[in-house]
Amino acid sequence: MLEMAKSPLRPSARSNVPPFMVMDVVAAAARLEAKGRRIIHMEVGQPAAGAAATAIAAVRAALSSGPHGYTEALGIASLRRRIARAYSDWHGLDIDPGRIVVTTGSSAGFMLAFLAAFEAGDRVAVALPGYPPYRHILSALNCEPVFIETTAATRWSLTDELLLAEHRVRPLQGVVVGSPANPTGTMLPAPALAALIKCAQDAGIVVISDEIYHGLDYAFAAESAARLSGDAIIINSFSKYFCMTGWRIGWMVVPPPLLRPIERLQQNLAISVPTLSQIAAEAAFDGRAELEKVKQGYEENRRILLAGLPRAGLTSFLPADGAFYLYADISRFSTDSFEFATRMLEEAGVAATPGVDFDPLRGRNFLRLCYAGAPQDMHEAVERIGKWLRQVA
Ligand SMILES: Cc1ncc(COP(=O)(O)O)c(C=O)c1O
């Protein structure tokens, strides 16, 4: 009999990133649905709508005319030109298509940006509350995510003062800025974003601007870091405004010194981005009318929740400037948002994300509600939450 060799398999320390707790809520919701319960889904941050008809039609046409081999590592040239043109349409900016890099969702954009701009051990500031993969990707790449707690006073955004205070403690090499932000939905007004970028760059800190929720702004227009600095790395995606989460396609606007390094990384890490998704993405720009209707639906949902949640008992939430999230303070009812979300799911049939996913400490007092679903679901969610809170209060 063969003697069993001692297994060399040991998970690396850097693979030890925390799980996303919302996935436990997703699994629990699926179990309840399997038993016949109707659940209102406000937990996962993705549009209920699918890709624009123009994108689907382009893929259907392409399917009959293969082969669909690899593309250039930086993306199909016509798509890169189309993305560059969008900066002129949306922001009046003239961006060289050569600076556009097509990526496998913005998630891959972060990996490319962090690998190209930072060394192992570099310190990169991220806001708390904030999108968890920023910090988890950084630590998987052996960079050090540096948490900066934000407050209501600054619309829950990073500021130049907060950044410099941390930089003085120990120098930072980078900062990730997100506006509109996940989970709060808050936005940085243009002057505040400009001040933050200027102060970061004066201090030698590389700015990475996550603009994935651009196009979904309600309170005021979102500013692109591309207008404010040629040195900022811009990350964007077709996932949110374009309703294409599962197509896994996004893009970056890259400062020239990092272009060739990012091209080499992409060649080696991915070869290229899925060809059909690139074809769909280019055609998605012609579906703006359809996508604007979807956005109007979010605006309606936002109105329903802003008016309805206080009546239901959730009286305190952060300014819902953009994206499709509302970050509600639940501390009147509980200081354990995971337990609160679990009970709300089981007893009221509304699935939401516990704040601890976004802010390990203060997130115990918060719940993120995603309003990318149908307006009738928002009305029903308000009813259900109100009835349930009256019972538990
Ligand atoms: C703030 C933020 N950035 C990036 C992503 C990643 O999106 P994708 O990889 O689908 O482009 C998400 C997804 O929810 C997000 O909320």
Side-chain angles (χ1 to χ4, degrees):
M1 206 202 220
L2 271 178
E3 208 173 291
M4 290 290 282
K6 208 170 155 213
S7 171
L9 280 179
R10 296 269 177 284
S12 64
R14 64 182 171 176
S15 69
N16 190 19
V17 293
F20 219 171
M21 287 176 85
V22 67
M23 296 322 286
D24 290 344
V25 179
V26 171
R31 282 196 296 276
L32 291 175
E33 281 173 325
K35 288 186 198 151
R37 284 274 303 277
R38 183 175 125 68
I39 302 299
I40 298 176
H41 289 277
M42 301 180 81
E43 76 281 39
V44 181
Q46 68 175 338
T54 49
I56 307 287
V59 170
R60 282 221 171 90
L63 278 176
S64 53
S65 70
H68 301 102
Y70 298 130
T71 70
E72 285 166 76
L74 295 182
I76 296 175
S78 57
L79 171 59
R80 295 170 71 203
R81 281 197 300 273
R82 188 64 194 81
I83 294 170
R85 178 143 71 87
Y87 281 85
S88 155
D89 299 344
W90 297 339
H91 300 287
L93 282 177
D94 184 15
I95 300 278
D96 175 1
R99 290 182 57 203
I100 306 289
V101 176
V102 181
T103 59
T104 314
S106 69
S107 303
F110 287 109
M111 281 189 281
L112 291 168
F114 296 160
L115 281 168
F118 304 126
E119 303 293 349
D122 277 359
R123 286 164 42 85
V124 181
V126 294
L128 281 186
Y131 178 59
Y134 297 150
R135 48 189 198 269
H136 300 161
I137 298 173
L138 283 165
S139 49
L141 296 176
N142 281 343
C143 296
E144 185 192 333
V146 178
F147 306 140
I148 299 187
E149 288 200 348
T150 59
T151 63
T154 62
R155 277 190 121 68
W156 301 83
S157 299
L158 289 177
T159 62
D160 40 350
E161 287 98 355
L162 288 170
L163 189 74
L164 278 189
E166 188 57 54
H167 188 59
R168 274 187 226 108
V169 176
R170 251 181 65 210
L172 293 161
Q173 282 72 41
V175 59
V176 182
V177 183
S179 171
N182 178 7
T184 56
T186 60
M187 280 168 52
L188 266 170
L193 180 63
L196 179 59
I197 291 179
K198 180 169 182 331
C199 125
Q201 294 186 337
D202 287 351
I205 299 170
V206 174
V207 175
I208 293 163
S209 179
D210 182 358
E211 305 189 350
I212 183 171
Y213 292 102
H214 274 212
L216 302 178
D217 41 9
Y218 318 111
F220 49 92
E223 176 65 296
S224 175
R227 177 200 304 286
L228 304 169
S229 165
D231 282 343
I233 304 175
I234 316 293
I235 307 232
N236 209 321
S237 176
F238 288 90
S239 287
K240 309 293 170 159
Y241 175 79
F242 290 94
C243 303
M244 293 173 70
T245 45
W247 299 75
R248 308 308 305 127
I249 181 153
W251 76 87
M252 308 167 77
V253 184
V254 174
L258 294 186
L259 254 176
R260 182 65 183 147
I262 284 181
E263 182 174 22
R264 290 194 306 259
L265 285 164
Q266 176 106 299
Q267 287 167 348
N268 283 278
L269 293 175
I271 301 185
S272 64
V273 170
T275 307
L276 287 177
S277 296
Q278 295 193 59
I279 292 168
E282 188 173 340
F285 284 103
D286 298 328
R288 289 293 298 276
E290 195 182 330
L291 298 168
E292 283 298 310
K293 279 216 185 83
V294 175
K295 177 180 176 180
Q296 280 161 20
Y298 303 150
E299 289 183 285
E300 168 70 2
N301 292 349
R302 176 176 176 268
R303 272 193 295 272
I304 295 167
L305 294 180
L306 290 182
L309 285 178
R311 283 201 309 269
L314 293 180
T315 49
S316 168
F317 33 80
L318 311 190
D321 299 328
F324 33 53
Y325 303 115
L326 226 140
Y327 200 55
D329 187 335
I330 53 156
S331 57
R332 266 178 65 205
F333 303 100
S334 168
T335 52
D336 180 348
S337 56
F338 186 70
E339 195 248 7
F340 186 87
T342 306
R343 282 190 62 198
M344 192 170 92
L345 171 64
E346 281 165 6
E347 296 166 18
V350 179
T353 310
V356 280
D357 265 340
F358 309 102
D359 187 339
L361 285 179
R362 296 175 304 168
R364 289 186 304 213
N365 297 328
F366 287 89
L367 200 66
R368 187 194 74 175
L369 296 157
C370 170
Y371 55 85
Q376 61 273 23
D377 279 0
M378 300 302 118
H379 283 299
E380 198 177 336
V382 166
E383 289 268 307
R384 288 185 184 199
I385 293 172
K387 200 165 153 208
W388 177 64
L389 285 179
R390 281 191 290 280
Q391 282 163 15
V392 299

